[in-house]
Amino acid sequence: MGIRKDVARLLLGLLMLAWAAPVSVLLSAATGGLEAKAQSSVIRIIRVEGNRRVEPETVRSYLQFGVGDRYDPLKVDDSLKALFATGLFSDVRIRRQNTTVIVVVVENPIINRIAFEGNDEIDDDTLKGEVQLKPRAVFTRAKVQSDVQRILDVYRQQGRFAAGVEAKIIKLPHNRVDLVFEIQDGPKTTVRSINFVGNIAFSDSQLREIITTTKTGLLSFLKPTNVYDPDRLNLDRELLRQFYLKNGYADARIVSAVADLDRDGRGFFITFTIEEGEQYRFGAFDIETTLPSLDPEQARDKVAFRAGKVFNAEKVDQSVEAITIEVAALGYAFARVRPRADRDPIARTISLTFVIEQGPRVYIERIEIIGNTRTLDEVIRREFRLAEGDAYNRLLVDAARRRLRALGFFKSVKISNEPGSAADRVILVVNVVEQPTGELSFGAGYSSNEGVIGDISLAERNLLGKGQFVRLRFSGSLERFQVDFSFTEPRFMGRNMSAGFDLFHRETDLTDESSFKSRRTGGGLRLGVPLGGDWRITNRYTFVREEIFDVQDDASQVVQDAEGSTNVSSIGYTLVYDTRNHKRNPTQGIYFALTQDLAGIGGDVKYVRTVGDARGYYPIRKRITLVGRVQGGYIEGYGGEDVRLQDLFFKGPETIRGFERAGIGPRDTSTGDSLGGRVFAAATTEVRFPLPLLPENLGMTGAVFADVATLFETGDLGSIDQSLVVDDDTIRASVGFSLIWQSPVGPLRADFAHVLNSSAFDEEEVFRFGAATQF
């Protein structure tokens, strides 16, 4: 029994030994195979093929793996992306051969020459400055497509949205290419129509005068503003928003400004959608402060508005700026003024509290200006009330941005902040996009008094990039010729005042009215100073050589005695108060001007002349405006001298409708010649309204009016028999209606008047047509 067990164990051991030997061999083989495979996945060599200009080490530097690393498909994929991103290669392949990795590259060619063909409207130098690719640069298709888009953008800025650009590649030996941009200029894409939706308080014609974009008309070739420009459209949105905020519409929104291109790609139809909201007035205001030892009453007189007046966001901004500067002058350099508004929708008032608080202690390290290829840096810097080293104040920066936009030199103005060299330093970056500032304009028409009339004007608002204004103007008719040259420096001596000079020559044919012709040639100097709020004064000195000539043989003895020339040297001023909501076509506000001149600072004559003009505009209803005007003047000699004929007032349809030119006032009954007067007074009441049944975009409105005026007291009568002169203070009166058209060549007006009261020798007229007089 024991022997059998031993034999069984022996047989079992032999059997297990027989099975173990093959398994051991298999395991040994498997282990050897894994070790061999591991050895073969390690990169021993990296070989670069296909490169001609690029060094192999440059290619290897972009690989995400190296010699000694294990081959990893993910790292190979990253390496491909890195090599393509260099822009040096048009194709890259990576493959493995045992322990060697082979990188095969196809280099992008080198650009030999860049040419432009078909570009008749934009020169080569301008386009070369826009494209990124240059000769001897590496060619890539991505950069070519980018440059094609850049060229298209340049053409679109010129208003050519139908332009086409195609890049052609000419292959050359040694892996070089010529790059040719074939361009089709296409026609200019102009603005065919400008429409407004949602505007009730202001007419389309009023809003068109606010924006800078103009629609295509008869004279559009004289200025580029009728060409569609997206940047200009954004500026127009901002101008409209500011206009509404200035006129009490605190909730106004410019919802959209859409430019639709017509089917043939030649014109845009622009539509502004507006939500006006209600008009607000100023309520009460108060000043609060969190600064210790600062008395708020010290800044109260810096508030630029009064309760009850129409709300004006511009006045709020002016108040914030004035209070900020005042508080800084009191020693609080980091003070910040924050206006807090409290609206009363029932009473439609906005009460304001100006909160003065401590701002962040941050200084302006420097101000960088970019984009001004023409405008000088100093023109932009002078609009800032801040300088390098000053305490940073966001409100003053915003005020500077508004002033820069108001200059009219730029399509867009952006001011951003960048970190300075320290935590309490900031860099202001002013980015501007310039726009054309020159303008050539002319007009032509017909006047029932002067016949054919016309004018040509050449103006530049940013002369040599210095922000100066210059204008040369020729105007005339069959009875008048005038040349004017004007120059203005808006920031004289770096201060907030303007200075300039004027040169002029004027000849007027008064043969039909007074039997003589007159000539005035001279020049003057002026200095304008803002007095705060809506007040401004302009001081001037003028020298004029006046001449009366071509006196008719049968002229009045007064006219014959006045024949000849004299020199007039005078000083004077004009004081203006202006709150009108629109300078050219107002519907609300007040305008007042007082002008006085003293002649006798040298020269041949001595007199004091005073003229006053007051106008008021009140909206009776939406788009119906009541206009009132009162004006008067008086001239008196001194030093024993009387007033000469050419210095007297001559009045006619510009003062009271229904009378001819120089149609009222003293007159020689024997000859019918108008002799002028030393005193005049006039008043006008007019109601303006839209014409029913006519589309508003025609720009036609109507008006009914009533005028009164008087002119009396002759000057030096000389040797004439005074019994021949009629001179009384009769109050002339007339009523009538008018048609006003905002035509493509300027505003035109037709007046139909009926005289209610006149003097016996006045000269009347029923109809008058000509250029509209704005008042």
Side-chain angles (χ1 to χ4, degrees), residues 663-685:
I664 67 173
R667 191 174 300 275
D668 185 336
T669 58
S670 64
T671 63
D673 291 334
S674 175
L675 303 180
R678 293 193 300 153
V679 182
F680 85 92
T684 294
T685 300

Side-chain angles (χ1 to χ4, degrees), residues 569-571 597-609 635-643 678:
S569 177
S570 64
I571 59 173
D597 292 287
L598 173 66
I601 314 302
D604 303 326
V605 298
K606 296 180 179 180
Y607 63 76
V608 178
R609 179 172 55 205
I635 185 170
E636 181 67 49
Y638 69 93
E641 294 192 14
D642 207 340
V643 182
R678 293 193 300 153

Side-chain angles (χ1 to χ4, degrees), residues 13-32:
L14 292 172
L15 183 62
M16 292 179 63
L17 181 62
W19 279 100
V23 172
S24 177
V25 173
L26 289 173
L27 288 175
S28 177
T31 302

Side-chain angles (χ1 to χ4, degrees), residues 135-210:
R136 295 185 297 278
V138 177
F139 171 90
T140 68
R141 295 192 178 274
K143 288 183 178 180
V144 170
Q145 293 303 317
S146 177
D147 283 345
V148 167
Q149 188 59 47
R150 284 173 176 269
I151 295 173
L152 288 174
D153 289 342
V154 173
Y155 271 87
R156 287 173 179 174
Q157 289 173 4
Q158 299 290 329
R160 298 183 181 276
F161 281 76
V165 180
E166 184 178 357
K168 293 294 184 67
I169 302 168
I170 302 175
K171 293 184 178 182
L172 302 174
H174 309 296
N175 200 27
R176 294 176 302 128
V177 295
D178 283 345
L179 178 59
V180 179
F181 292 99
E182 294 184 352
I183 301 172
Q184 293 180 349
D185 289 332
K188 275 197 172 184
T189 312
T190 58
V191 176
R192 293 192 173 183
S193 175
I194 301 176
N195 299 304
F196 300 88
V197 177
N199 55 311
I200 300 175
F202 300 100
S203 64
D204 286 11
S205 59
Q206 287 176 304
L207 296 181
R208 288 191 190 103
E209 292 178 354
I210 298 299

Side-chain angles (χ1 to χ4, degrees), residues 310-327:
V310 174
F311 177 80
N312 185 340
E314 189 176 281
K315 296 292 185 184
V316 178
D317 295 334
Q318 292 174 358
S319 301
V320 169
E321 184 175 359
I323 294 173
T324 300
I325 295 174
E326 177 68 16
V327 172

Side-chain angles (χ1 to χ4, degrees), residues 357-373:
E357 55 192 9
Q358 184 69 29
R361 303 183 70 85
V362 178
Y363 296 91
I364 298 175
E365 182 171 315
R366 66 178 183 272
I367 300 175
E368 294 183 353
I369 302 173
I370 57 178
N372 56 320
T373 57

Side-chain angles (χ1 to χ4, degrees), residues 615-665:
R615 314 171 199 173
Y617 306 86
Y618 179 77
I620 300 174
R621 295 182 61 186
K622 299 294 185 182
R623 302 185 185 177
I624 300 179
T625 305
L626 173 64
V627 181
R629 183 181 189 183
V630 177
Q631 55 181 320
Y634 177 74
I635 185 170
E636 181 67 49
Y638 69 93
E641 294 192 14
D642 207 340
V643 182
R644 301 169 309 131
L645 177 68
Q646 54 265 54
D647 295 323
L648 295 171
F649 298 111
F650 289 81
K651 295 297 177 181
E654 77 286 349
T655 303
I656 177 169
R657 285 158 285 195
F659 294 86
E660 294 185 1
R661 186 169 67 160
I664 67 173

